[in-house]
Amino acid sequence: MSSVIIFIGMVVFIGILIFTSRVFYLMELKRFTRKMTRQLGLDILDLSYSFDQMVYVVSLPSSIENIKNANKNDLLIDREYTSYFFPELIGIKIYLEIDHSKQTIAYLPIKSFRLPKLDELLEQGKINEADYLKISTFKLIHETTLNDISEEVYKQLMYNKNIG
């Protein structure tokens, strides 16, 4: 009887750990970024970035009907983490979802998401690589950045649709 209770307790504990680890990871990123940007006199919304390192996994222009006929609302962004325990964001995937099927369109690894102001601070020794990674990760998952990424991917799909 007591071994069943211990087993159930362990399963519940592991379940809670799995379901809350990403939430706590994101809360820590937010706390750390706010603290660092305050110390450095930065505003997270003002940090510029580019989409140069976005990797498109479909060739553009595409002759695939789903891509040619895509709407912006069909694009979904999914965060990719290292694991369920002690997760770290490693990138974001942009999907095209039509008729309940997902097709990967693009991928942006976090290590390729560069911010010029942070590059400058890194060069000056005001931040280290770990700080850079945490701040850029928070910037990448910020709602405004994700909206910009979605807009950019959609523009690339439509631009290439018009010339293809």
Side-chain angles (χ1 to χ4, degrees), residues 36-146:
M36 288 298 294
T37 53
R38 206 174 318 118
Q39 285 177 357
L40 298 167
L42 301 173
D43 182 356
I44 194 72
L45 295 176
D46 292 338
L47 294 176
S48 62
Y49 53 90
S50 75
F51 302 107
D52 292 343
Q53 299 303 317
M54 179 85 65
V55 177
Y56 287 88
V57 296
V58 294
S59 36
L60 298 175
S62 178
S63 61
I64 301 171
E65 285 300 316
N66 286 346
I67 294 174
K68 287 175 26 177
N69 299 326
N71 294 317
K72 186 175 180 300
N73 295 338
D74 297 331
L75 290 175
L76 300 174
I77 297 178
D78 193 18
R79 300 172 186 167
E80 185 177 25
Y81 293 93
T82 53
S83 69
Y84 288 106
F85 297 106
F86 311 111
E88 288 185 26
L89 187 77
I90 55 176
I92 59 168
K93 290 182 181 179
I94 298 88
Y95 294 99
L96 184 60
E97 184 178 53
I98 297 179
D99 299 327
H100 305 293
S101 67
K102 288 183 178 179
Q103 180 176 2
T104 303
I105 300 296
Y107 182 74
L108 180 59
I110 186 61
K111 294 196 186 252
S112 297
F113 185 65
R114 305 303 291 182
L115 295 96
K117 184 62 179 176
L118 293 184
D119 287 331
E120 179 183 318
L121 294 172
L122 182 64
E123 182 69 30
Q124 294 171 355
K126 293 182 179 178
I127 61 173
N128 59 34
E129 284 288 338
D131 297 341
Y132 189 113
L133 186 61
K134 286 181 180 179
I135 296 169
S136 65
T137 300
F138 184 74
K139 177 67 175 175
L140 179 62
I141 62 172
H142 196 277
E143 183 180 333
T144 57
T145 308
L146 293 175

